Amino acid sequence: LTHPFDIATTLTARSEGRFAGETSPAYWNFAGPFGGIAAALLLRAVLDDPRRQGTPVALTTNYCGAIKSGAFEIELTPERTGRTIQHWSLRLVQGDTVTTTGSVVTALRSESFAHQVAAMPTLPPHADVARAKTPSNLPWLSAYDFRFLQGPAFTPPPAGTLGPSRTLLYMSDVPSRPLDYASLAALGDAFILRLLQMRGRMAPMSTVTLTTYFHATEAELAAQGTAPLVGVADASRIAANFHDQQMQLFGSGGGLLASGIQTVWYAE
Amino acid sequence: LTHPFDIATTLTARSEGRFAGETSPAYWNFAGPFGGIAAALLLRAVLDDPRRQGTPVALTTNYCGAIKSGAFEIELTPERTGRTIQHWSLRLVQGDTVTTTGSVVTALRSESFAHQVAAMPTLPPHADVARAKTPSNLPWLSAYDFRFLQGPAFTPPPAGTLGPSRTLLYMSDVPSRPLDYASLAALGDAFILRLLQMRGRMAPMSTVTLTTYFHATEAELAAQGTAPLVGVADASRIAANFHDQQMQLFGSGGGLLASGIQTVWYAE
């Protein structure tokens, strides 16, 4: 496994319910790994646990504090295992410090009544949209290929105005990598924070909690392979130091592979 | 406190990080309290904990199994307390059985840059919309006043067709009760499950995990008082035994008071 994403999310089993890992510079943000890596690490721990039953349905990641460069451990507990649904609780710790908590739902899924409500927006071909230039000071931004159709990031709006809250873009791993649940979890957090995009300038802000639902089956992930995803993100309300942010990730065929929401803290 | 909601969500402190409670028949669903009560109970434990700092920002409730009639305990841990943000983990247990897990974020919030993206839909006056008749076999449905503008529940669509996935309605507590964070948490789960509404017939299904974000400040809750909320709900994808469901709850002035998503399991 030589892809930077695999290196950044590799865990070593220590004992039942305990994995060890090491931070990786490839997905570094301001002060710690970009939040999508923490989410992927929690999911990876569940996926690697021999007690796990089924595939991911839901993941909530709570960002309690920055993960410092170096070693960490993930403790996980299967809270309840039913006939088809399993509930997990997780903590990522560095020594006595809890940096991240979370919960995961996995399930044995089968063919069933199916209906998709959310329609994928119409876009020009991927090759016709230029890859965005991203600031080089944040390594994680270079780990993705972003192609913006709406809501261009890294472009300040005219002074005194707000840029759009909605973003529509193509997203993919750099270098390309076949999609799996862990990378889908990370991609779900790879949207620029709405307030940063709308104001076009950095100010203290960070994701506080992130919930991602996995709609894709393993067959759909395999069919997607390394093809770019179509992402949509928006906010609903920004007030009193917090704003929410919704996201949808569609596959090439228009199937909704994942959706979710997050809460972002901002300073002023 | 004689309102059924207060009776159903009253907790007694047992020791630091441990509360005791008793189920109440008023909000009963098929097999246990309706999910909004479990969410409100987790939030109530945090609100009642003397270590709590600030007001609710986010709540994730994982429904591991039905809460049986009778006594239960809630264990909660403040995982991390920062200058303004606090992270909590929770478990609702009955004996050795974990029925519910969850996480809560609270924060000291202040005036800040603010902008609302989500617009409240236009509706006729509350008094001009009839209260829906709800099935009497599920007590929790009688604990709310539902007035549907779109996506009527309890009305099967024509045979062989699907009803709308989107619902727009007025919602309020019965009897009326001033809005607070706990009742807002419960109202966030008081939308009919999307697949039940779309098919118009009951089949095995239940909420697996629910995440609610609280946008309202205490002043906004006080201003809302007992006035009905405007609720919007929709689904994005229904596939392989699970569907998601989004919701928004607006106050009388059009302010978005809460928003969230849930994952629903269904049998076929």
Side-chain angles (χ1 to χ4, degrees), chain B residues 38-184:
Chain B
L41 283 166
L42 296 189
L43 193 66
R44 169 62 55 209
V46 172
L47 292 169
D48 284 358
D49 194 299
R51 298 169 293 178
R52 191 245 315 170
Q53 176 178 288
T55 55
V57 171
L59 164 66
T60 291
T61 306
N62 301 300
Y63 299 91
C64 305
I67 299 172
K68 294 192 164 65
S69 179
F72 59 82
E73 291 197 311
I74 296 177
E75 312 162 352
L76 71 168
T77 307
E79 298 281 359
R80 188 87 176 254
T81 300
R83 198 171 52 80
T84 59
I85 299 175
Q86 194 172 42
H87 285 270
W88 297 83
S89 292
L90 300 103
R91 272 195 190 88
L92 195 154
V93 298
Q94 291 187 302
D96 292 337
T97 304
V98 177
T99 69
T100 322
T101 64
S103 51
V104 168
V105 178
T106 58
L108 297 165
R109 305 177 71 157
S110 55
E111 289 286 316
S112 70
F113 170 82
H115 178 77
Q116 184 167 315
V117 177
M120 184 171 82
T122 307
L123 297 90
H126 184 258
D128 293 355
V129 188
R131 180 178 175 188
K133 293 189 78 154
T134 54
S136 59
N137 59 321
L138 299 179
W140 80 271
L141 289 170
S142 304
Y144 293 102
D145 179 317
F146 299 110
R147 301 185 184 214
F148 292 94
L149 277 308
Q150 188 186 2
F154 323 115
T155 310
T161 70
L162 281 180
S165 61
R166 184 171 185 266
T167 286
L168 170 62
L169 82 172
Y170 283 112
M171 300 167 86
S172 50
D173 284 301
V174 174
S176 68
R177 179 180 176 281
L179 189 66
D180 58 18
Y181 286 112
S183 66
L184 189 55

Side-chain angles (χ1 to χ4, degrees), chain A residues 57-58 60 62-65 77 79-80 84-85 87 89 91 97-99 101 103 105 107-118 162 165 195 198-199 208-211 213 215-217 220 234-242 244 248 255-257 259-263 265-266 268, chain B residues 57-58 60 62-65 77 79-80 84-85 87 89 91 97-99 101 103 105 107-118 162 165 195 198-199 208-211 213 215-217 220 234-242 244 248 255-257 259-263 265-266 268:
Chain A
V57 170
T60 290
N62 301 299
Y63 299 91
C64 306
T77 306
E79 298 282 359
R80 189 86 177 254
T84 59
I85 299 176
H87 285 270
S89 291
R91 273 193 189 90
T97 304
V98 177
T99 68
T101 65
S103 52
V105 178
L108 297 166
R109 304 178 71 156
S110 55
E111 289 286 317
S112 70
F113 170 82
H115 178 77
Q116 184 167 314
V117 176
L162 281 179
S165 61
L195 187 54
M198 292 167 73
R199 298 200 293 200
V208 172
T209 178
L210 167 73
T211 292
Y213 294 161
H215 305 287
T217 59
E220 287 178 281
D234 208 338
S236 63
R237 189 172 177 198
I238 303 168
N241 302 123
F242 292 88
D244 68 338
Q248 295 178 317
L256 184 67
L257 305 184
S259 60
I261 57 177
Q262 64 176 266
T263 297
W265 166 85
Y266 62 100
E268 91 271 27
Chain B
V57 171
T60 291
N62 301 300
Y63 299 91
C64 305
T77 307
E79 298 281 359
R80 188 87 176 254
T84 59
I85 299 175
H87 285 270
S89 292
R91 272 195 190 88
T97 304
V98 177
T99 69
T101 64
S103 51
V105 178
L108 297 165
R109 305 177 71 157
S110 55
E111 289 286 316
S112 70
F113 170 82
H115 178 77
Q116 184 167 315
V117 177
L162 281 180
S165 61
L195 188 53
M198 292 167 72
R199 297 200 294 200
V208 172
T209 178
L210 168 73
T211 292
Y213 294 162
H215 304 288
T217 60
E220 287 177 281
D234 208 338
S236 63
R237 189 173 176 197
I238 302 168
N241 302 123
F242 292 88
D244 68 339
Q248 295 178 318
L256 185 66
L257 305 184
S259 60
I261 55 177
Q262 65 176 265
T263 297
W265 166 84
Y266 61 99
E268 90 271 26

Side-chain angles (χ1 to χ4, degrees), chain A residues 158-185:
Chain A
T161 70
L162 281 179
S165 61
R166 183 172 186 267
T167 286
L168 170 63
L169 82 171
Y170 282 112
M171 302 169 85
S172 49
D173 285 301
V174 174
S176 68
R177 180 181 176 282
L179 189 66
D180 58 19
Y181 286 111
S183 65
L184 189 56

Side-chain angles (χ1 to χ4, degrees), chain B residues 20-35:
Chain B
E22 184 98 25
T23 61
S24 169
Y27 288 83
W28 211 252
N29 198 354
F30 286 100
F34 123 81

